[in-house]
Amino acid sequence: MDRIYGARKRVIYGRLPQTVVEIGPGAGANLRYYAPGTRVIAIEPNRAMHPRLRAVARRRGIVLDIRAVGGEQADLPDGSAAAVVGTLVLCTVTDPRRVVAQIHRMLAPGGRYIFLEHVAALQGSSLRGFQEHLFKAWRWCFDGCHLNRETQRVILTAGFARVDMDCFVMQSRWLPFAPHIFGVAEK
Ligand SMILES: C[S@@+](CC[C@H](N)C(=O)[O-])C[C@H]1O[C@@H](n2cnc3c(N)ncnc32)[C@H](O)[C@@H]1O
């Protein structure tokens, strides 16, 4: 993960505040990029991830506060977060629009949503055809992951004051989730 995404994460994670909300941190792939002492409010519904997440947090000096709910049900107060991070998670959540609406709600004015997601390939491309063909089997095998979500539209239409979004295509012969978006949305 670090080899594929690390350089981009280091750029967009710059100047994170002391407390960060992370949606779907899984086993803690992002914790290595946070400064030791950072408090991470981890919205992670899958309890099977929690022991690994706790172990990584301990190793990295991260103060962890796990909430075992989905992003759709996140109950932090309105405007209480300076930064929310979500990576490779909107492909998996049940309702990406609702999760992004929750992120927007929880952010303080000027707060930042930092995202990195794989997305559907362009309509009409052969990769998109492949993604559409494969998505049900893929979703079944990979814990609900959708190959064909146009997540960029969800973020761009969520009401942020400003969205800086870049994209890249992962070079892989085998993985059908090559197109990615990453960036920062500011409330
Ligand atoms: C592919 S993993 C990504 C983990 C990590 N963010 C990373 O970049 O490696 C997707 C994560 O989203 C979590 N997840 C699934 N549904 C969710 C939801 N509704 N709200 C928040 N997280 C969710 C899963 O439990 C899993 O930990």
Side-chain angles (χ1 to χ4, degrees), residues 74-169:
D75 60 356
L76 300 186
D78 294 1
S80 60
V84 177
V85 171
T87 65
L88 307 178
V89 66
L90 293 180
C91 54
T92 303
V93 303
T94 310
D95 185 344
R97 279 196 188 279
R98 191 143 160 241
V99 171
V100 177
Q102 286 280 45
I103 292 170
H104 188 270
R105 180 190 66 72
M106 292 186 288
L107 279 172
R112 289 176 300 149
Y113 165 40
I114 293 147
F115 56 87
L116 187 157
E117 299 286 346
H118 67 82
V119 296
L122 286 178
Q123 281 282 4
S125 64
S126 52
L127 179 57
R128 180 62 177 266
F130 186 52
Q131 289 177 330
E132 295 294 350
H133 195 68
L134 197 67
F135 101 86
K136 282 188 183 158
W138 186 272
R139 189 180 59 186
W140 189 81
C141 291
F142 295 101
D143 202 21
C145 173
H146 292 69
L147 288 171
N148 58 346
R149 280 191 172 161
E150 297 187 349
T151 300
Q152 63 277 29
R153 289 185 198 281
V154 176
I155 296 173
L156 288 170
T157 58
F160 289 100
R162 173 189 162 134
V163 180
D164 286 332
M165 185 184 290
D166 216 334
C167 61
F168 68 98
V169 176

Side-chain angles (χ1 to χ4, degrees), residues 15-90:
R15 303 183 325 277
L16 283 175
Q18 225 265 317
T19 299
V20 171
V21 178
E22 185 168 342
I23 310 289
N30 288 320
L31 301 190
R32 64 165 66 199
Y33 307 104
Y34 302 150
T38 301
R39 176 176 177 237
V40 176
I41 301 175
I43 314 282
E44 177 50 73
N46 186 348
R47 289 175 188 274
M49 298 286 183
H50 295 181
R52 183 86 196 282
L53 185 58
R54 284 203 183 89
V56 176
R58 254 194 316 274
R59 209 166 61 238
R60 301 273 173 196
I62 301 297
V63 182
L64 200 58
D65 174 355
I66 301 182
R67 315 284 168 95
V69 294
E72 295 88 342
Q73 291 83 40
D75 60 356
L76 300 186
D78 294 1
S80 60
V84 177
V85 171
T87 65
L88 307 178
V89 66
L90 293 180

